[in-house]
Amino acid sequence: MKSSIHRSRRAATAVALGSVLALTATACGDDGSGGAGDKGGEGSGKGTIIFWDNNGGVRTDIWKQVIADFEKKYPDIEVKYVGIPAASAQSKYDTAIQGGGLPDVGGVGTAMLAEVAVQGALEPLDGRLSKSPLNGRLSQNLIDVSKAAGGGDTLYQVPTSANNGTLWYRTDLFKKAGLDAPTTWSKFYAAADKLTEKGKNAFGFTIRGGEGAIAPALDAVYGQTGITSFWNGDKTTVNDPKNVAALEKYVALYKKDTPSADVNNDFTKMVAQWDSGTIGMLSHNLGSYQDHLKALGKDKFRGIPNPTLDDGTRVQVSNPVDGLSLFRSSKNKAAAWKFIEFAVSAEENSKFNESAGQVPANTDAAKDAWIQRAEPTKLAAEALNGSGTKIVQLPYYLPDWNTISKADNEPNFQKLLLGKMSAKEFLDTLADQLNAAQADWKKNH
């Protein structure tokens, strides 16, 4: 049964699409100030372009450095920077699509990519990339995530950065207990048991039970079963019997090898608890590295990609990917594309991601010295770029995905931890909602 949130979101998209169809060409000059209905043009390859940063404030300084480098190389192109706070980026794009004023280039993450693309606002980039020096220099796994997030086989986003699921573990506690690094799921479960001493308030693992719990749980499930696709036809694999068994094993850690407070933990509480206590392992991402470093010092912990199967097979769910999109209404696409190519070149992509603390999409940038010094990022880059890594593409393109994976099922995951719902009931409920959302998407696209 779909909630009113689902209906209102689809209604908003329908209104937006109606507005797009009603738009006339409103762009003027070479400043990209058009709506989604304006097809724009290649332009002179010179003049002014407008760039919207979808994480303004946080990334402003590094983007201004990249822009300064670009304008030094291309003195006949001026880039006007507009910083937009991440929380309002989606609404800012939606408003501009309906009313005009889109940029030439904008930061568009995979979480919003499909909704922007479906409104006709983005230029397909496959052809441009195939003729670009970037061709063959970007992580194919991240390209695949970008295409999947766009809702099909078309590239609407050149990836710049990715995060990755990371298993942080206390090397001092592992050494004391005589344990190997938790590189496989069997070693992970063995360590979770051995490191737990409830009488000493010591636990092997901390599980995320509060806000944001669904994606790490799915990562653990697919990582254990080795199932490599989220869909089998138009039905999700999420409630495959193998996944049900894997989820049962994972949530059985709660209160046995984890603190009971975990049921309410979002990432902030979970990270703080791990940094201040005697807990062996934490599953988060690269973003908490500086917190761990400050709390524990560099010699007491390590961050590795999430465990593999015993035979070394690595399966992980897709993490959000940030990237740059070219807007269809741009009157100066030639100059805008030059900016994208430059920003994702090895040198600039490396500089950007060193500042952001994320994995570069450019595989040459991923070999740079700063990554070799930062082992968690180095290992994450190797996992993301590895030909043997299989990535299960989460359906970011579904308009209902965020609602299903957050509002609808985070409370159910807490019920699961507390024993008020079985793993099969949880995954069957999730599957029913996903299958309905997929059917709705297919019908309307």
Side-chain angles (χ1 to χ4, degrees):
M1 184 176 180
K2 291 188 170 59
S3 69
S4 60
I5 297 175
H6 298 195
R7 292 193 294 272
S8 64
R9 195 167 180 194
R10 282 197 298 276
T13 302
V15 169
L17 287 168
S19 301
V20 168
L21 294 173
L23 282 173
T24 55
T26 56
C28 55
D30 268 10
D31 65 357
S33 56
D38 189 338
K39 293 184 180 179
E42 284 300 302
S44 64
K46 301 178 181 180
T48 300
I49 58 171
I50 295 173
F51 166 59
W52 283 8
D53 172 12
N54 61 325
N55 199 359
V58 177
R59 302 279 183 255
T60 297
D61 289 346
I62 186 59
W63 272 122
K64 288 193 172 180
Q65 287 182 42
V66 173
I67 289 168
D69 292 346
F70 176 77
E71 290 177 341
K72 185 177 180 181
K73 182 173 181 179
Y74 296 100
D76 50 3
I77 303 174
E78 179 189 2
V79 180
K80 289 188 176 178
Y81 170 90
V82 179
I84 302 167
S88 57
Q90 175 75 65
S91 60
K92 179 80 170 175
Y93 281 126
D94 285 343
T95 299
I97 287 168
Q98 295 177 52
L102 284 166
D104 298 277
V105 181
V108 180
T110 46
M112 72 175 84
L113 185 63
E115 288 197 36
V116 178
V118 77
Q119 296 178 72
L122 302 179
E123 183 84 357
L125 299 175
D126 300 89
R128 292 178 192 269
L129 183 60
S130 68
K131 300 170 186 173
S132 168
L134 293 177
N135 191 34
R137 301 292 185 185
L138 302 180
S139 166
Q140 188 58 49
N141 281 338
L142 296 191
I143 291 283
D144 291 345
V145 171
S146 294
K147 287 186 176 184
D153 298 322
T154 303
L155 184 68
Y156 290 110
Q157 175 217 56
V158 176
T160 56
S161 314
N163 217 322
N164 201 49
T166 301
L167 184 63
W168 302 98
Y169 72 98
R170 290 283 299 270
T171 51
D172 55 342
L173 300 181
F174 270 68
K175 184 178 180 180
K176 185 179 178 181
L179 289 165
D180 292 335
T183 52
T184 66
W185 284 105
S186 57
K187 289 179 180 178
F188 164 83
Y189 282 109
D193 276 339
K194 189 164 185 180
L195 292 171
T196 298
E197 293 184 70
K198 292 182 182 178
K200 296 182 178 179
N201 200 33
F203 297 93
F205 184 55
T206 174
I207 196 168
R208 187 167 179 170
E211 184 181 352
I214 305 302
L218 291 179
D219 211 359
V221 165
Y222 280 95
Q224 291 176 77
T225 62
I227 294 172
T228 57
S229 177
F230 198 78
W231 300 103
N232 181 7
D234 288 331
K235 300 296 183 184
T236 181
T237 60
V238 77
N239 61 336
D240 182 284
K242 292 179 182 176
N243 282 344
V244 172
L247 184 61
E248 286 173 345
K249 187 172 184 179
Y250 183 68
V251 299
L253 292 171
Y254 175 64
K255 286 177 75 173
K256 179 171 77 75
D257 293 329
T258 82
S260 58
D262 282 0
V263 69
N264 294 312
N265 277 355
D266 59 12
F267 88 90
T268 305
K269 293 174 185 172
M270 186 175 64
V271 167
Q273 178 178 264
W274 191 72
D275 286 345
S276 63
T278 53
I279 299 173
M281 296 175 290
L282 159 74
S283 184
H284 188 230
N285 57 46
L286 295 171
S288 54
Y289 176 64
Q290 293 300 328
D291 291 325
H292 308 325
L293 198 60
K294 184 178 179 181
L296 300 170
K298 63 183 177 67
D299 297 325
K300 288 186 179 179
F301 75 97
R302 190 175 176 223
I304 60 175
N306 282 335
T308 67
L309 295 173
D310 286 343
D311 64 3
T313 300
R314 182 178 301 286
V315 177
Q316 60 185 62
V317 301
S318 54
N319 282 269
V321 172
D322 211 3
L324 296 173
S325 294
L326 176 59
F327 282 80
R328 206 171 161 223
S329 59
S330 170
K331 296 292 189 181
N332 201 352
K333 291 176 186 173
W337 178 249
K338 283 181 185 176
F339 178 68
I340 292 175
E341 282 187 320
F342 182 84
V344 195
S345 65
E347 183 177 350
E348 298 300 320
N349 194 231
S350 178
K351 182 185 299 183
F352 178 85
N353 281 286
E354 183 175 12
S355 171
Q358 294 190 303
V359 179
N362 189 302
T363 53
D364 291 329
K367 299 170 186 173
D368 280 358
W370 69 269
I371 288 187
Q372 304 309 309
R373 291 192 299 268
E375 189 196 34
T377 309
K378 173 178 179 284
L379 295 175
E382 289 172 354
L384 282 171
N385 297 330
S387 60
T389 298
K390 305 299 181 186
I391 295 182
V392 179
Q393 305 293 350
L394 296 181
Y396 298 120
Y397 60 88
L398 292 177
D400 292 342
W401 168 247
N402 282 337
T403 303
I404 290 171
S405 64
K406 292 183 181 294
D408 285 359
N409 284 290
E410 285 177 356
N412 282 347
F413 190 74
Q414 291 181 314
K415 290 179 183 177
L416 173 60
L417 290 178
L418 295 170
K420 297 178 180 178
M421 180 179 260
S422 72
K424 187 176 189 305
E425 287 172 327
F426 174 81
L427 290 177
D428 282 346
T429 300
L430 180 59
D432 286 345
Q433 293 169 334
L434 288 164
N435 291 336
Q438 175 77 348
D440 190 54
W441 169 263
K442 289 277 189 177
K443 180 180 177 181
N444 291 294
H445 301 87

